[in-house]
Amino acid sequence: MKKRLMLLAGSISIATILSGCFDGEQSLDEIDPPQNAQEVDNLDKVDEEDVSATPEETAETVSRDLYLLDANGMVASQTLELPVPDTNEVAAQVLEHLVKGGPVTPLLPNGFQAVLPEGTEVRGVNLQEDGTIIVDLSEEFTQYEENQEVQILESVTHTLTQFENVHKVKLRVNGQDLKEMPVNGTPINSGYSRANGINIINNDTLDYLQSEPVTMYYPVEQENNRYYVPVTQYIETNEDEAIANIIEELIDGPGHQSKVVNVFNPEAGLASEPTLSNGILEVVFNKEILADSEQGIIADEVMETMVRTLTEQPNIDAVDVKVENVEKVVNENGEAYTEPVTKQVFSPSEEL
């Protein structure tokens, strides 16, 4: 800064002196240097960091998953780089980036939009020991369309529960607990969690009394932006075959109701019953699960779809994928899967 001030002062002095030269025909040799002037070398080598770096480029950022509304009207996460906040403001920051017209606006990928009503302010966030996070919002939060109510709940809940120690969300407006959502009356007195589902697909032929909701992840690609959409389906299952049924439903896909992509070969299937031990689920498939059976290649999006889905289930921390009569399973880059795969490979997690 001192160097810049000195340069500026020197420039002004030189301009004034030159003006005097033209007016009074005084030569430069006759001009005394300004008092207190210091020699400046390498005028063309001004500190490059000072002139080229902007605050946005030099500020530290951190990756966060924000659940936004995509072009198909589905709630899906996008990993965005946000400024590093104070330690006690992390939850408030991600919520502020869900507000329409808020700080997320210049960061939004094409086709995505924020979900909270414009002008909504986060008045307070309080994480309880049991993993319930209480969010106090301003009155503007109540100004949304009826058909957006569930999407707002899903967005807020999934954005906050990306943090490992957050399990449930309770909402307040101006310090008053909400027993139901303000527009369409969705019950939320006991809080809202991932167990409530997201982008729920209804099946009129299903016996819901004999079914369980399961959230599955399917890829979508729009304008070179590949992301995974969570879709909650009800699956008829029993305790002994729960995991096998989930995998079979995942292979079958979400049906025509959803705008996501089924990446599995319809001939793919389990070669044996999955086994779970110490948080690791071992799954053995037939060769039809592979993109290239000779090379043992399993498509990256197939692996990610399975791992994201299966690790949502209780007690499953990682997935060990094997293929019958194939010694080594590799990814699309030819790298072998030598260890069980965790969801942190695709979506790193942390605690508040």
Side-chain angles (χ1 to χ4, degrees):
M1 177 59 87
K2 289 181 178 179
K3 182 185 291 184
R4 288 183 171 182
L5 290 175
M6 181 186 67
L7 287 170
L8 181 58
S11 298
I12 294 171
S13 299
I14 292 171
T16 304
I17 292 167
L18 288 175
S19 175
C21 286
F22 289 121
D23 288 341
E25 299 185 1
Q26 184 181 11
S27 71
L28 287 175
D29 290 336
E30 298 172 344
I31 300 172
D32 293 325
Q35 291 184 350
N36 302 322
Q38 297 180 16
E39 183 178 355
V40 179
D41 293 326
N42 301 323
L43 291 179
D44 58 339
K45 295 183 179 180
V46 180
D47 186 64
E48 293 181 2
E49 246 183 72
D50 289 341
V51 297
S52 62
T54 65
E56 291 78 9
E57 292 170 337
T58 58
E60 287 189 66
T61 62
V62 61
S63 298
R64 302 283 189 222
D65 287 342
L66 301 180
Y67 280 77
L68 306 163
L69 203 61
D70 75 359
N72 296 320
M74 305 188 81
V75 180
S77 71
Q78 289 289 283
T79 302
L80 303 181
E81 293 295 320
L82 308 186
V84 176
D86 292 338
T87 304
N88 59 350
E89 294 180 357
V90 175
Q93 183 195 52
V94 293
L95 289 172
E96 289 164 355
H97 279 74
L98 298 180
V99 178
K100 296 178 181 178
V104 74
T105 303
L107 307 176
L108 288 172
N110 288 339
F112 278 84
Q113 58 180 295
V115 295
L116 294 184
E118 190 167 354
T120 300
E121 296 180 1
V122 181
R123 301 178 73 250
V125 179
N126 186 1
L127 178 60
Q128 308 292 298
E129 290 185 3
D130 66 353
T132 299
I133 192 166
I134 300 173
V135 177
D136 190 10
L137 301 170
S138 64
E139 185 70 27
E140 289 81 0
F141 171 71
T142 65
Q143 307 302 312
Y144 57 84
E145 298 295 326
E146 181 179 319
N147 62 355
Q148 298 173 345
E149 186 163 280
V150 173
Q151 293 172 333
I152 287 172
L153 280 171
E154 293 173 353
S155 169
V156 170
T157 299
H158 279 69
T159 296
L160 288 174
T161 54
Q162 73 180 281
F163 302 106
E164 291 182 346
N165 53 338
V166 178
H167 309 306
K168 183 187 293 186
V169 178
K170 286 191 172 184
L171 298 178
R172 291 176 177 171
V173 171
N174 289 336
Q176 300 297 312
D177 291 335
L178 292 181
K179 295 183 179 180
E180 60 182 30
M181 287 292 282
V183 176
N184 201 36
T186 302
I188 55 171
N189 188 42
S190 59
Y192 213 80
S193 71
R194 292 198 175 202
N196 291 96
I198 183 171
N199 299 314
I200 298 173
I201 294 178
N202 293 314
N203 186 338
D204 295 335
T205 65
L206 202 62
D207 181 357
Y208 285 95
L209 294 177
Q210 302 297 321
S211 306
E212 294 290 336
V214 176
T215 298
M216 303 184 175
Y217 287 79
Y218 295 95
V220 171
E221 186 156 350
Q222 291 186 352
E223 300 183 14
N224 298 320
N225 177 20
R226 181 200 285 180
Y227 57 96
Y228 284 77
V229 174
V231 176
T232 299
Q233 301 171 240
Y234 278 81
I235 297 176
E236 290 183 354
T237 185
N238 59 60
E239 188 174 348
D240 294 335
E241 300 176 350
I243 299 301
N245 287 348
I246 290 171
I247 294 172
E248 289 169 2
E249 284 289 334
L250 191 62
I251 292 172
D252 289 342
H256 299 295
Q257 299 181 58
S258 179
K259 296 174 182 175
V260 298
V261 178
N262 185 3
V263 296
F264 291 89
N265 179 345
E267 301 301 319
L270 292 169
S272 60
E273 285 292 318
T275 59
L276 179 62
S277 177
N278 298 320
I280 297 175
L281 180 70
E282 182 179 289
V283 188
V284 183
F285 289 95
N286 58 23
K287 285 188 177 181
E288 280 67 31
I289 195 69
L290 298 173
D292 185 329
S293 58
E294 292 186 3
Q295 301 294 324
I297 298 173
I298 187 167
D300 293 346
E301 55 189 5
V302 168
M303 180 64 79
E304 185 165 354
T305 296
M306 283 194 294
V307 173
R308 283 182 178 272
T309 297
L310 294 172
T311 54
E312 286 281 324
Q313 307 309 307
N315 305 317
I316 299 179
D317 301 318
V319 182
D320 188 8
V321 175
K322 299 182 182 300
V323 178
E324 62 177 354
N325 301 321
V326 174
E327 182 178 347
K328 184 172 63 174
V329 176
V330 303
N331 65 17
E332 293 178 10
N333 291 326
E335 300 163 337
Y337 287 105
T338 58
E339 299 288 339
V341 184
T342 68
K343 65 180 177 182
Q344 281 75 24
V345 171
F346 311 111
S347 181
S349 59
E350 59 181 306
E351 292 189 353
L352 282 181

